[in-house]
Amino acid sequence: MADTLTVTDNRTGKQYELPIKDGAIRAMDLKQIKTGPEDFGLMTYDPAFMNTASCRSTIAYIDGDKGILEYRGYPIEQLAEGSSYLETAYLIIFGELPTKAQLEGWTTEITAHRLLHENIKKVMEGFQYDAHPMGVFLATVGAFSTFYPDAKQIFEETSRLKQVHRLVAKVPTIAAYAFRHSIGRPYVYPDDDLSFTGNFLSMLFKRTELKYKVNPVLERALDVLFILHADHEQNCSTSAMRTIGSSHVDPYSAMAGAAAALYGPLHGGANEAVLRMLQEIGAISNIPAFIKKVKAGEGRLMGFGHRIYKSYDPRAKIIKRTADQVFDVTGKNPLLDIALELERIALEDDYFISRKLYPNVDFYSGLIYQAMGFPMTMFPVLFAIARTSGWIAQWEEMLLDPDQKITRPRQIYTGAKRRDYVALNKRG
Ligand code: CMC
């Protein structure tokens, strides 16, 4: 059996044999298929990249039909069970689980880089008191490029590593400052005695006590949520990171763009949208009417459906379990009952079954975050902290991939044919 595809162009009667590698043909191989010398050659039309692989990657593997997610080959369930966010971030960025010494070195570096330049605080203070923390977050990440001009040396390994340390370490500090700014509380400096997640909780919620007492259940729950959100291959924000990075800009500028992509309600803003939806539904008795509206095309059931998963999102299963542990500490989120009933009804309804719409990662995560004391506006920021490791790994993979160039899709022009300019006083 030959690994080729034979194509007959019925416009010319010519036949072409295209190589197939890893289940794909190269779109550039279609360019030779022409009707004549003037013809540009055949293109593929794939809005929203529904069936186009934009890269080769070794970072995350997803089987959407079977509900499988792996980072560097390790199942997400095992990482959520046994790993920490920092260890998983190391795995995602460097490709292998760290040895004990490597993990200690990595943790020391991240701990050392948690502080922000004092002028960054001034940048953040310039925002209105009611600025959305995600807007503050992405603007601040972008501003980093002006504080670290050495980040432009993207083809120097030591410089790249420095930015990796800075980014992973500093994003929780930016997030916490954005939050404190929004509630008018003084910023809390990082505490070196605390874990990555424990310190984040301290920077968010510490009041006047000398030392913040971290609740271990909440610390672990947040760490698990960070593990689950660390990477998800070529999603909208990661594609943005790669696309912007392909112009060889510094990683902070590229990541500001990735964070902007994550801000949208169809991506990282979905868990905020889920909570707003649950609040709007308000009571279990209102669910049937809500489902009817969704089926009539008036709005979506937020937290349901996924471009890749056509079965239960494996992350959603883990989050559902984590929710129970968190609610044991915080008390149950009153919206949980509405969410559970909504899921039950939707999973029995032909509209959702036939379209293979199942709960995704965002359906329950917002309920946990809210119970832990986060305002809804912080949800996409939490996602961004976790996804930073994935974005960086994907950015670096793109930079070092000899197949990659600056991203530049083609288009099919459907506008007006050439016409002559008409002076304003002669237009009808
Ligand atoms: N509620 C109701 N109908 C839906 C939903 C939904 N949540 N999602 C998809 N559909 C319907 C859609 O109307 C369409 O129906 P029809 O074939 O009759 O026109 C069909 O299912 C296919 O939808 P699509 O829009 O072509 O699917 P997509 O792959 O472009 O969209 C999605 C994927 C995640 C944007 C979409 O499912 C959605 O909007 N979900 C709600 C938002 C959400 O939860 N987003 C978080 C995604 S997971 C976290 C992340 O990766 O960021």
Side-chain angles (χ1 to χ4, degrees):
M1 191 178 69
D3 276 345
T4 59
L5 176 74
T6 305
V7 178
T8 307
D9 185 348
N10 293 323
R11 299 171 303 176
T12 60
K14 281 194 192 156
Q15 253 196 9
Y16 303 83
E17 194 153 312
L18 312 180
I20 298 177
K21 196 172 169 209
D22 299 328
I25 59 163
R26 293 186 83 101
M28 282 302 279
D29 285 345
L30 297 174
K31 211 164 174 291
Q32 58 182 308
I33 303 177
K34 298 180 178 200
T35 51
E38 296 288 290
D39 188 351
F40 176 79
L42 204 63
M43 291 191 292
T44 55
Y45 175 58
D46 190 8
F49 303 110
M50 300 284 287
N51 194 34
T52 295
S54 62
C55 62
R56 293 174 183 281
S57 182
T58 60
I59 301 169
Y61 170 77
I62 302 176
D63 183 326
D65 291 324
K66 295 195 185 120
I68 294 173
L69 169 62
E70 294 166 0
Y71 298 155
R72 304 277 188 188
Y74 294 99
I76 192 68
E77 294 79 6
Q78 292 181 22
L79 292 169
E81 182 67 33
S83 186
S84 66
Y85 173 70
L86 264 196
E87 185 185 62
T88 299
Y90 184 101
L91 168 71
I92 287 176
I93 294 168
F94 301 105
E96 295 295 338
L97 284 170
T99 61
K100 198 163 175 286
Q102 284 168 333
L103 185 59
E104 274 167 20
W106 170 242
T107 307
T108 305
E109 284 290 351
I110 299 304
T111 306
H113 279 95
R114 294 198 283 208
L115 275 174
L116 299 186
H117 191 293
E118 284 295 295
N119 283 351
I120 279 282
K121 270 174 36 184
K122 292 190 195 143
V123 171
M124 297 178 85
E125 274 158 11
F127 286 96
Q128 286 283 66
Y129 71 95
D130 58 352
H132 195 296
M134 190 61 174
V136 176
F137 179 87
L138 69 91
T140 309
V141 170
F144 267 17
S145 72
T146 65
F147 285 78
Y148 304 117
D150 58 311
K152 288 187 172 47
Q153 313 306 321
I154 53 171
F155 290 108
E156 277 178 24
E157 197 179 345
T158 44
S159 169
R160 277 203 311 275
L161 184 60
K162 184 79 162 256
Q163 316 321 322
V164 168
H165 289 146
R166 284 175 175 153
L167 271 166
V168 173
K170 291 183 198 304
V171 284
T173 319
I174 304 175
Y177 281 19
F179 171 66
R180 303 284 291 203
H181 178 77
S182 71
I183 55 170
R185 290 218 183 118
Y187 303 135
V188 176
Y189 283 80
D191 181 337
D192 286 359
D193 295 338
L194 299 177
S195 72
F196 184 82
T197 320
N199 169 61
F200 179 50
L201 290 170
S202 162
M203 291 191 297
L204 287 161
F205 300 125
K206 186 170 177 289
R207 288 164 174 260
T208 50
E209 67 271 37
L210 280 180
K211 193 136 190 106
Y212 181 75
K213 204 166 171 301
V214 181
N215 181 304
V217 175
L218 303 187
E219 183 183 19
R220 178 63 193 156
L222 196 55
D223 216 47
V224 169
L225 283 159
F226 283 172
I227 292 171
L228 299 181
H229 285 86
D231 194 62
H232 213 231
E233 50 117 311
Q234 308 313 315
N235 53 83
C236 178
S237 59
T238 301
S239 301
M241 181 84 192
R242 280 179 172 261
T243 298
I244 301 170
S246 78
S247 75
H248 291 177
V249 75
D250 66 89
Y252 302 107
S253 302
M255 209 177 103
L262 189 69
Y263 198 174
L266 296 188
H267 191 11
N271 49 11
E272 180 176 343
V274 170
L275 276 205
R276 290 193 196 284
M277 173 188 77
L278 294 175
Q279 279 170 355
E280 197 187 305
I281 296 173
I284 289 183
S285 56
N286 297 332
I287 292 177
F290 176 79
I291 294 271
K292 205 167 156 199
K293 267 175 45 186
V294 168
K295 286 161 65 176
E298 296 166 36
R300 291 201 157 188
L301 176 48
M302 299 311 286
F304 259 68
H306 199 277
R307 172 65 58 78
I308 307 288
Y309 293 118
K310 299 304 167 198
S311 62
Y312 213 103
D313 183 333
R315 301 167 299 173
K317 277 190 199 154
I318 301 168
I319 289 183
K320 220 174 155 182
R321 282 201 301 274
T322 308
D324 291 334
Q325 293 155 14
V326 169
F327 296 156
D328 278 347
V329 176
T330 61
K332 194 171 80 178
N333 188 324
L335 295 173
L336 177 69
D337 290 337
I338 300 178
L340 287 170
E341 182 62 4
L342 204 50
E343 179 188 341
R344 193 190 63 76
I345 293 182
L347 292 183
E348 286 174 1
D349 191 302
D350 192 52
Y351 174 94
F352 298 93
I353 296 170
S354 61
R355 288 170 180 78
K356 299 190 172 165
L357 301 171
Y358 293 88
N360 60 47
V361 69
D362 287 323
F363 194 65
Y364 289 105
S365 60
L367 290 170
I368 303 183
Y369 291 146
Q370 194 178 51
M372 287 174 80
F374 291 105
M376 279 188 255
T377 50
M378 277 299 285
F379 296 176
V381 182
L382 299 172
F383 195 154
I385 293 173
R387 189 53 60 86
T388 296
S389 50
W391 286 331
I392 301 171
Q394 299 270 356
W395 165 75
E396 199 165 33
E397 188 176 63
M398 177 276 303
L399 278 184
L400 302 180
D401 180 350
D403 276 359
Q404 293 294 339
K405 287 170 180 276
I406 186 166
T407 303
R408 197 351 180 145
R410 306 225 58 117
Q411 64 162 12
I412 297 170
Y413 178 68
T414 59
K417 290 266 181 293
R418 184 198 180 282
R419 46 188 171 164
D420 290 324
Y421 175 77
V422 181
L424 183 59
N425 60 1
K426 297 212 170 120
R427 276 174 232 160

